[in-house]
Structure formats: C-alpha cells, structure tokens
Amino acid sequence: TMMMFRSVTVVAVAVGDSLVLGSSQGARQIVACIIISLGGVMYAWHDLHFDFEGYVWGLMYSASMIVNSLYVKSAFDRNKDLSVWTKTYLNNALGTPIVIGIALWREDMSQMVAKGQSLSIWGAAAVTASCFMGLGISMSGVACRSVLSATSFDVLGNCTKYLTLGISALMGSRNSAASIAGICVALGGCALYSPAGALVVNAVLGGSKNRQDSVGADENTN
C-alpha cells in the first residue's frame, strides 16, 4: 500500500516542478507520470484495507515526499557551489533529529538497546556495512539531484523500487497477478518517461507519418 502513496507523488511533483521550479513537462512525460501512478494503485489495490491511522501516515508520507522533492531540488540549485559531500552531510544532519524524535516517540528504546547489545560480530558487521551502503546511496542520490529535475529524480526513485519488486517476484515472492501487472505498468511508465521512451515514441510517430505520406503519394499517383 505504501508503494501506492509513493507512486502518486510523481504527478504532484511534475506539476510543482513546472509551476514552482519552471521545469517544462511535455505530453509524453505527463502521460508517463500518470501511468506510473496507475501502476502503483494496481500494485496495491488487492491489499487496500481502510485504516484511518494508516492512511493518515500514508498521506503524510506522500506530502513529505512532494515537499522534499521540490524543496531539496530548489535548495541544491541555489547552492551549486557546495560539494556532494557537503550536501549529503547537511541533508542527513537536518533529518537525523526528526528520526530520533520519532524513534523516541514510537519505538521501545529499551528493547532497541537490548538488541544492539546482543548483536554478534557478524550482526554488528552487517549493521556497519549497511551504514556505509546508506551513505553511498545518499551521496549518489545527491549527485543525481544535482543534474536531474525534481520530476526525473522522483521517477528514478519509483523505477528502482519497482525493479526491486520485480526482481523479488522473479525470485519467488508471493504476488498476485494484479500486483505483477501493476509492477509492469509502473515500469512501462518509467520507460516511457526516459530518453529511450522518447526515441520509441518518435520512431512510432515517425513511422506512422511515413506510412501516411506513402499512402498519400500512392493515391496521387493513381
């Protein structure tokens, strides 16, 4: 269900990207964003069970993703002199107090401390490795945001998540036919948004135009 809330942000981000940041969105990109959102709804539809608290958190998640995509891109564009490392540091430094506050509010800290103290060497190594991987993901995301529009970065984020879900489905995770169809639709929307999608659309439209011109020429000859 959270993938649905994640996917529907691309349309709002595309609108905000155009109105706030001045990024132009063509018809192909708009259609692609709508397809990605529809794919997210299809993926989660079989699992949609109304829960007020869950939907409040889901809507807050969507709203935060929209604001994050637009505000961070705007901030990065205004501070192009900052390095990727500096942007990564500030981005995580601002978010860390909020994460700690939510953890103190929602989690059992005594249980977390107890589990941390009982970690084996391999468990501690896995946690440490995940921290370095998280740092790498954060830095690569910052680098991407420096060269991509807010909408393109949001589409990229959705694409990686649906690719992960698709690989998980191929490896045997339980998914309904509707969920797999939703994954395929969302990935199709991501492909349509990409430069490769533009080449395909242009090839199809160009081929159709050439056929029409050929038919017109034959009719004139006859």
Side-chain angles (χ1 to χ4, degrees):
T1 305
M2 289 306 299
M3 279 306 302
M4 178 190 70
F5 288 108
R6 178 69 175 85
S7 299
V8 297
T9 61
V10 292
V11 175
V13 170
V15 173
D17 202 5
S18 298
L19 297 179
V20 179
L21 302 180
S23 177
S24 61
Q25 303 292 332
R28 175 178 58 83
Q29 287 93 336
I30 295 173
V31 171
C33 290
I34 294 174
I35 291 175
I36 294 171
S37 297
L38 290 176
V41 174
M42 289 175 60
Y43 175 76
W45 187 257
H46 77 287
D47 193 38
L48 291 181
H49 304 290
F50 182 78
D51 179 86
F52 180 76
E53 182 179 0
Y55 271 68
V56 168
W57 281 108
L59 292 173
M60 289 176 63
Y61 172 66
S62 294
S64 66
M65 288 301 302
I66 295 168
V67 173
N68 177 274
S69 296
L70 298 175
Y71 178 77
V72 172
K73 177 59 179 176
S74 175
F76 282 6
D77 286 347
R78 294 195 308 269
N79 298 276
K80 294 182 179 181
D81 56 320
L82 296 179
S83 66
V84 171
W85 170 254
T86 302
K87 292 176 182 177
T88 302
Y89 169 76
L90 293 174
N91 197 32
N92 285 278
L94 290 173
T96 299
I98 299 175
V99 172
I100 293 176
I102 294 176
L104 292 172
W105 171 39
R106 302 286 296 182
E107 302 293 337
D108 185 349
M109 299 306 297
S110 60
Q111 186 177 12
M112 291 178 60
V113 172
K115 288 184 176 181
Q117 292 175 340
S118 63
L119 278 177
S120 64
I121 295 177
W122 290 109
V127 172
T128 303
S130 70
C131 291
F132 282 102
M133 292 173 65
L135 177 61
I137 292 171
S138 184
M139 293 187 69
S140 63
V142 168
C144 285
R145 283 185 169 183
S146 299
V147 297
L148 298 177
S149 68
T151 308
S152 296
F153 183 78
D154 201 34
V155 170
L156 178 63
N158 276 279
C159 183
T160 57
K161 288 174 175 59
Y162 281 110
L163 281 173
T164 302
L165 292 171
I167 293 172
S168 178
L170 292 174
M171 293 177 65
S173 66
R174 295 182 180 181
N175 290 279
S176 66
S179 294
I180 294 175
I183 293 173
C184 294
V185 169
L187 289 175
C190 295
L192 179 62
Y193 187 92
S194 69
L199 294 176
V200 173
V201 171
N202 291 335
V204 172
L205 294 179
S208 177
K209 184 178 184 302
N210 291 335
R211 286 193 295 271
Q212 292 176 357
D213 292 342
S214 178
V215 171
D218 291 341
E219 292 177 349
N220 292 334
T221 302
N222 295 333

